[in-house]
């Protein structure tokens, strides 16, 4: 990903075009998806059901061949997923508005990856509380490999609401929890709850939401699924060659290739299983040893039960772009890192390549927190780094500079000691090395205690710094990856989403501070 941002190895993404926010250049004419008109009708119906106030207007615009399509997406997480999920939706809308300002009609779409079966990713959410960040969860996965789009939230959601009501005080947040309860009910699915929250938060500026399990979408995917079966040998060979090229260029493979696996999944006994190509034109399912069917079975399943079939990570984005005619594709760092492995499908299926941009990065800090940041003398980059040693950063360097002299003095003492010892007996080098290492570890342990003591000289300063550290890096991870999108409107009200639209910058290189 870093190489792409620096303009290196961009040929690995061809025919797709990678761009920074200031360099976006779309193809001369819009691409037009194979079934966009019928999909527009379905998205109108579904988004109206979610409460989108402009569903009909945006769907009608989407159906027009001159309309540019901006797409991003994410698995539908609990309470809107982590903050970067909401940021991606806002970025898609901002890009569409940017194109509109240039006289190009555009519509933003958000792909809800309801076919994914990573329950852990969807079932947890982080919140800030007066005692620090906490994570709530729907518990252990009771239905492994079942897509989240087929799963209800279940009775555990009521327990989660009770935990949040106890953990986060204030009438505004209590009222917000009651609002959330209208969507996050035990009998509601992950996808529908997520979609209703998103349309509520973003209102008229919400992208049109796409449920990956929408029946009309699955019907539109059938020709592409058939191609993936019929051209399985060519696809496997192309993927293999692509992986070799990436490894030869020094890139780690984000999707590890396994012999005979396909980029398709099938629901088998309500579990999402990867299709495996067997010899003699037969297919199997990973994890089901007894499953053995002719390839015609898979083609029949695609034709008669397309809802059971879904693309894997190596095929999903290409299929999405083929159906909608994507002009601008917004991806996160993880998605971008495995995109080079998906490129062969664009070429084999002659899919119109979109321009790709990396999603923006955001962190939410209130005014008093930015003041504390400035007074701390520690940069935001340092506060958001897991490598930050807070004791060392807060300690007065003049007070502790004698520690550096002590380390230098130890080395100057030990080096001559080795020379003298070796003149007596060369076998003493191993004993010297062991002694040196022990002395250095002891000195480092003492230095750490001195540094910690120096950093505690002003306890108030330290407490403020620790609080800010937990805000920037809650639970040891970046804020936008931990704290739920729904947390911030609960604390700041409607002005939070307004601030996100006003302050989020589309450039991906820098972390943007959002002040509600």
């Amino acid at each position: 990903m870093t190489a792409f941002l620096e303009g290196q190895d961009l040929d690995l993404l061809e025919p797709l075009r990678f761009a920074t926010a200031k360099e976006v250049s779309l193809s001369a004419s819009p691409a037009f998806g194979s079934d966009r008109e019928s999909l527009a009708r379905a998205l109108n119906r579904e988004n109206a059901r979610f409460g989108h106030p402009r569903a009909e207007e945006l769907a009608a615009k989407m159906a027009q061949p001159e309309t540019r399509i901006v797409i991003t997406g994410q698995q539908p997480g609990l309470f809107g997923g982590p903050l970067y999920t909401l940021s991606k939706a806002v970025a898609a809308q901002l890009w569409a508005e940017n194109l509109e300002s240039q006289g190009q009609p555009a519509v933003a779409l958000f792909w809800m990856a309801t076919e994914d079966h990573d329950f852990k990713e969807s079932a947890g959410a982080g919140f800030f509380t007066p005692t620090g960040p906490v994570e709530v969860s729907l518990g252990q996965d009771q239905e492994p490999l079942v897509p989240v789009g087929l799963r209800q939230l279940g009775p555990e959601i009521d327990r989660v609401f009770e935990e949040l009501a106890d953990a986060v005080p204030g009438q505004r947040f209590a009222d917000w929890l009651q609002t959330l309860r209208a969507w996050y009910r035990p009998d509601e699915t992950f996808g529908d709850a997520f979609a209703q929250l998103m349309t509520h938060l973003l209102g008229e500026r919400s992208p049109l939401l796409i449920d990956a399990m929408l029946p009309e979408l699955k019907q539109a995917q059938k020709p592409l699924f058939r191609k993936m079966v019929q051209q399985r040998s060519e696809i496997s060979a192309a993927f293999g060659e692509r992986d070799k090229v990436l490894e030869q260029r020094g890139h780690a493979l984000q999707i590890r290739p396994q012999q005979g696996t396909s980029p398709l999944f099938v629901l088998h006994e309500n579990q999402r299983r990867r299709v495996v190509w067997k010899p003699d034109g037969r297919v199997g399912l990973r994890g089901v040893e007894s499953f053995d069917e002719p390839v015609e079975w898979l083609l029949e399943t695609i034709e008669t039960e397309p809802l059971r079939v879904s693309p894997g990570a190596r095929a999903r984005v290409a299929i999405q772009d083929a159906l909608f005619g994507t002009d601008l594709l917004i991806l996160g760092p993880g998605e971008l890192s495995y995109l080079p492995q998906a490129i062969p499908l664009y070429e084999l299926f002659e899919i119109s390549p979109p321009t790709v941009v990396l999603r923006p990065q955001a962190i939410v800090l209130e005014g008093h927190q930015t003041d504390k940041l400035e007074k701390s003398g520690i940069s935001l980059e340092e506060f958001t780094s897991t490598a930050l040693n807070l004791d060392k950063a807060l300690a007065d360097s003049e007070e502790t500079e004698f520690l550096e002299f002590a380390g230098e003095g130890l080395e100057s003492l030990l080096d001559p000691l080795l020379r003298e010892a070796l003149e007596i007996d060369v076998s003493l080098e191993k004993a010297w090395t062991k002694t040196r290492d022990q002395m250095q570890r002891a000195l480092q342990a003492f230095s750490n205690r001195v540094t910690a003591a120096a950093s505690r000289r002003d306890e108030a300063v330290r407490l403020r710094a620790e609080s800010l550290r937990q805000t920037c890096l809650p639970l040891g991870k970046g804020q936008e990856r931990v704290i739920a999108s729904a947390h911030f409107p609960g604390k700041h009200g409607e002005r939070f989403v307004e601030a996100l639209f006003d302050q989020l910058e589309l450039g991906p290189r820098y972390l943007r501070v959002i002040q509600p």
Side-chain angles (χ1 to χ4, degrees):
M1 183 194 73
T2 302
F4 296 150
L5 283 172
E6 294 176 352
Q8 302 172 10
D9 293 337
L10 294 181
D11 60 303
L12 295 176
L13 291 174
E14 293 177 354
L16 282 68
R17 299 171 297 278
F18 180 75
T20 65
K22 296 180 180 180
E23 301 171 341
V24 167
S25 175
L26 302 182
S27 58
S29 59
F32 191 68
S34 55
D35 288 275
R36 212 157 91 183
E37 291 186 23
S38 62
L39 290 173
R41 290 191 293 270
L43 292 187
N44 176 22
R45 182 194 70 235
E46 288 297 286
N47 280 265
R49 183 171 66 85
F50 299 148
H52 197 309
R54 297 177 62 202
E56 184 175 4
E57 172 196 345
L58 293 178
K61 180 185 287 188
M62 172 189 146
Q64 300 304 310
E66 67 272 14
T67 298
R68 300 286 191 174
I69 299 297
V70 180
I71 295 186
T72 192
Q74 194 65 34
Q75 187 167 326
L78 186 62
F79 299 130
L83 175 62
Y84 71 76
T85 305
L86 182 60
S87 296
K88 287 172 93 172
V90 170
Q93 179 60 26
L94 288 173
W95 271 116
E97 292 174 3
N98 183 297
L99 292 171
E100 290 268 340
S101 69
Q102 300 174 37
Q104 302 183 69
V107 170
L109 306 178
F110 188 98
W111 182 287
M112 299 189 299
T114 51
E115 292 178 315
D116 286 7
H117 53 264
D118 189 342
F119 179 77
K120 185 177 180 181
E121 181 178 334
S122 284
F127 287 81
F128 286 124
T129 76
T131 58
V134 300
E135 187 173 28
V136 295
S137 171
L138 295 175
Q140 297 297 314
D141 188 357
Q142 303 299 321
E143 301 176 288
L145 301 183
V146 176
V148 294
L150 296 178
R151 302 175 72 144
Q152 295 180 330
L153 296 164
E156 287 295 303
I157 191 65
D158 290 331
R159 172 188 55 77
V160 167
F161 275 116
E162 291 172 4
E163 290 179 8
L164 288 174
D166 291 338
V168 186
Q171 190 58 49
R172 172 184 281 170
F173 199 85
D175 292 343
W176 177 234
L177 290 181
Q178 286 302 114
T179 300
L180 289 174
R181 278 182 179 272
W183 307 310
Y184 285 86
R185 306 185 308 272
D187 61 345
E188 189 60 278
T189 64
F190 279 83
D192 278 8
F194 175 91
Q196 292 172 88
L197 171 61
M198 281 292 163
T199 53
H200 172 85
L201 291 176
L202 302 178
E204 293 193 351
R205 298 178 82 177
S206 173
L208 286 176
L209 295 152
I210 309 166
D211 185 339
M213 302 185 78
L214 185 68
E216 289 86 351
L217 186 65
K218 305 309 294 184
Q219 286 291 329
Q221 289 173 342
K222 283 163 54 173
L224 294 165
F225 288 160
R226 284 196 295 268
K227 278 187 177 182
M228 292 173 70
V229 177
Q230 294 162 348
Q231 297 179 230
R232 57 191 180 277
S233 296
E234 296 94 319
I235 292 172
S236 295
F239 281 162
E241 286 301 313
R242 166 54 56 136
D243 290 345
K244 286 181 183 178
V245 170
L246 290 170
E247 289 187 312
Q248 288 169 357
R249 299 275 287 272
H251 293 269
L253 299 182
Q254 302 302 309
I255 303 172
R256 297 304 307 178
Q258 295 185 352
Q259 185 66 30
T261 57
S262 85
L264 288 175
F265 285 78
V266 168
L267 278 178
H268 174 73
E269 296 179 353
N270 223 34
Q271 293 185 321
R272 189 169 180 250
R273 299 282 185 178
R274 186 181 288 277
V275 172
V276 178
W277 305 130
K278 291 187 172 185
D280 304 321
R282 302 188 72 79
V283 297
L285 298 178
R286 182 186 289 172
V288 186
E289 294 296 330
S290 60
F291 193 92
D292 182 77
E293 294 286 349
V295 73
E296 287 75 19
W297 168 86
L298 181 55
L299 290 169
E300 179 66 16
T301 301
I302 291 170
E303 184 60 35
T304 60
E305 299 179 273
L307 282 169
R308 292 180 58 191
V309 186
S310 59
R314 203 156 184 172
R316 188 197 67 75
V317 175
I319 285 179
Q320 160 197 285
D321 295 342
L323 295 181
F324 290 96
T326 309
D327 292 286
L328 188 63
L329 178 62
I330 304 169
L331 299 177
E335 296 165 311
L336 181 60
S337 65
Y338 67 69
L339 184 60
Q341 289 183 263
I343 294 299
L345 279 188
Y346 285 89
E347 298 168 332
L348 287 172
F349 291 180
E350 297 182 336
I351 299 169
S352 180
T355 294
V356 181
V357 294
L358 192 62
R359 68 167 175 83
Q361 304 176 70
I363 185 172
V364 181
L365 295 177
E366 298 173 38
H368 68 93
Q369 291 171 326
T370 57
D371 290 342
K372 291 176 183 176
L373 180 65
E374 292 177 5
K375 292 176 182 178
S376 72
I378 305 172
S379 69
L380 179 60
E381 183 179 8
E382 290 175 301
F383 261 117
T384 55
S385 169
T386 56
L388 173 67
N389 183 324
L390 196 58
D391 286 335
K392 187 173 182 180
L394 291 175
D396 187 326
S397 60
E398 293 185 0
E399 280 190 313
T400 59
E401 64 180 356
F402 68 89
L403 296 172
E404 295 182 20
F405 297 139
E408 294 170 1
L410 180 61
E411 289 182 13
S412 64
L413 173 66
L414 291 174
D415 288 343
L417 186 63
L418 174 62
R419 291 193 297 271
E420 297 289 342
L422 291 180
E423 289 182 4
I424 297 173
D425 186 344
V426 294
S427 67
L428 289 172
E429 183 173 4
K430 185 175 182 181
W432 175 87
T433 301
K434 183 177 181 180
T435 301
R436 179 203 60 190
D437 292 345
Q438 289 174 337
M439 294 177 72
Q440 287 179 338
R441 284 196 297 270
L443 179 60
Q444 185 60 54
F446 179 70
S447 298
N448 290 342
R449 296 188 66 174
V450 172
T451 300
S455 72
R456 289 194 298 270
R457 292 281 287 272
D458 189 335
E459 195 64 25
V461 170
R462 181 177 181 81
L463 289 174
R464 286 196 297 268
E466 288 179 339
S467 175
L468 189 57
R469 172 73 159 170
Q470 289 192 18
T471 298
C472 295
L473 211 68
L475 305 178
K477 300 178 182 178
Q479 186 196 93
E480 64 176 356
R481 292 185 170 276
V482 174
I483 304 302
S485 298
H487 167 80
F488 301 100
K491 183 173 184 180
H492 303 291
E494 293 181 359
R495 73 175 188 269
F496 171 71
V497 174
E498 294 173 2
L500 197 57
F501 271 111
D502 290 342
Q503 300 174 31
L504 189 67
E505 291 186 358
L506 296 177
R509 289 180 177 271
Y510 306 106
L511 185 62
R512 177 63 176 170
V513 175
I514 306 299
Q515 288 189 276

